[in-house]
Amino acid sequence: MQLSELVKKVNQTVDEMDLVTARTYIEENLDLLTDNKHLLKSNARELVNYFNEKRKKGEVPLTRQEMSDLNAVNVYAKRFDVRGLKMMVKNKRALFLKKEALSYLHADSKALLAGMGVIEK
């Protein structure tokens, strides 16, 4: 993808509030977009700065599978399905050690996982 096309798509997805697609474009082309931030609109520029800060801190973005697992945990917690929640946690212990993963959990999920001793209160 050429730079002009990439900038146009990033600006368009940010304007449409399609942040999932914008995140994908930005993360795949972070170095290129960082060098050419002046071509982006202000909201897109802020997203590029945000992802640069996360990279500097050493945080690795969650994969699609990890996001799906966190979504499943939220669904189990919403339904108060402790049995299903235990099965999810059993195989995904390392996922809950990631700092970024905790921000994707709902309050119900956090309360149940803290009660189970999976995450700290």
Side-chain angles (χ1 to χ4, degrees):
M1 186 180 306
Q2 293 182 350
L3 177 62
S4 59
E5 186 180 342
L6 176 64
V7 168
K8 181 179 175 184
K9 287 192 179 216
V10 169
N11 284 332
Q12 181 182 2
T13 56
V14 170
D15 286 342
E16 294 173 353
M17 299 298 285
D18 184 6
L19 299 180
V20 174
T21 306
R23 177 183 179 178
T24 304
Y25 285 136
I26 292 171
E27 286 178 345
E28 289 175 356
N29 303 291
L30 189 59
D31 294 327
L32 181 63
L33 289 172
T34 300
D35 294 339
N36 297 293
K37 274 195 295 192
H38 62 281
L39 300 173
L40 297 171
K41 293 183 179 178
S42 62
N43 289 341
R45 213 174 304 132
E46 287 299 319
L47 282 175
V48 169
N49 290 336
Y50 174 75
F51 289 118
N52 272 330
E53 289 298 318
K54 289 178 73 164
R55 180 189 272 182
K56 286 178 186 176
K57 290 180 183 177
E59 291 182 26
V60 179
L62 296 175
T63 63
R64 187 170 284 199
Q65 180 64 43
E66 290 172 333
M67 293 291 289
S68 176
D69 292 339
L70 291 172
N71 186 35
V73 166
N74 286 330
V75 169
Y76 285 131
K78 182 179 178 183
R79 295 180 183 163
F80 202 73
D81 183 1
V82 179
R83 187 172 170 194
L85 194 59
K86 285 183 182 180
M87 292 299 292
M88 284 297 299
V89 170
K90 182 178 177 182
N91 300 326
K92 314 287 186 214
R93 195 96 176 154
L95 175 61
F96 298 104
L97 296 176
K98 292 184 179 183
K99 189 176 184 180
E100 186 177 81
L102 298 178
S103 63
Y104 289 97
L105 294 174
H106 296 161
D108 299 336
S109 302
K110 287 180 183 177
L112 287 172
L113 292 173
M116 293 169 56
V118 176
I119 59 174
E120 294 182 14
K121 294 180 182 178

